[in-house]
Amino acid sequence: MLKIGVLASGGGTNLQALIDAIESKSLAAEIAAVISGNPAAYALERAKRHDIMSYYVKKGSYTAQDDYDKALADIFNRHGVDLVVLAGFLPILGPAFIREFERRVINIHPSLIPAFCGKGYYGIKVHEAALASGVKVTGATVHFVDEGTDSGPIILQKAVEVKDGDTPESLQRRVMEEAEWILLPKAVGMFAEGLLK
Ligand code: GAR
């Protein structure tokens, strides 16, 4: 069975979508470990509630990016992780981590890449930018992670309508409900079935 390692910094609703898909048997995989760089991340609490090994790794404790990358990779390797999922993870991962898990790291981003992505676009900021630009459609993207920011090959995308009167928060919620929580388990399932090249 595919073993997943999840990196999450925030609320962990995408982690929860994976947990739910696994528990309802619509996704044949196991979450082997969850790592956060934020000790207060609710994602860690979700992991604990579902008996998933969880770790807090403080980036500030490492002076070199390579050492930080190695610390994260060591945890996942110890758990025999096959696929790493970035589910709202803020710290930058360096080339040492990406190379260790080459073509085995995927990310969920809350826009239709190449719109509203790259440096500085994360979480609510993405939805603020979408509303400021006046687009009528946004969405979410699951993509492989390469050494750039939001630049790896796209796996799945889903469009979501922007409605009159949306706030960044209401748009974020709709993008999560209508796109992210569906796309992420689906992409992991496709990886598990060997459908992704
Ligand atoms: C999600 O909307 C995810 O797409 C986004 O952070 C949020 C995390 O929410 N990720 C990025 O913006 C990455 N560039 P969650 O902790 O509830 O899953």
Side-chain angles (χ1 to χ4, degrees), residues 124-190:
I124 200 76
K125 288 177 192 285
V126 178
H127 305 291
E128 285 166 358
L131 287 178
S133 78
V135 291
K136 300 299 175 207
V137 173
T138 182
T141 303
V142 179
H143 64 94
F144 280 109
V145 175
D146 62 11
E147 290 180 26
T149 307
D150 300 331
S151 55
I154 291 171
I155 300 168
L156 289 172
Q157 290 188 304
K158 191 165 187 290
V160 173
E161 192 188 348
V162 178
K163 295 190 176 165
D164 286 348
D166 259 337
T167 61
E169 291 74 20
S170 66
L171 183 58
Q172 178 180 52
R173 182 75 194 178
R174 189 173 319 111
V175 168
M176 285 176 160
E177 282 176 357
E178 294 184 10
E180 296 189 49
W181 301 340
I182 300 163
L183 289 190
L184 189 58
K186 188 171 171 187
V188 172
M190 289 166 73

Side-chain angles (χ1 to χ4, degrees), residues 2 26 186-196:
L2 183 85
S26 58
K186 188 171 171 187
V188 172
M190 289 166 73
F191 186 94
E193 287 171 35
L195 297 175
L196 302 180

Side-chain angles (χ1 to χ4, degrees), residues 10-15 87-88 107-110 121-123 126 150 176 180:
T13 65
N14 280 289
L15 166 66
N107 178 47
I108 178 111
H109 183 77
Y121 286 100
Y122 58 87
V126 178
D150 300 331
M176 285 176 160
E180 296 189 49

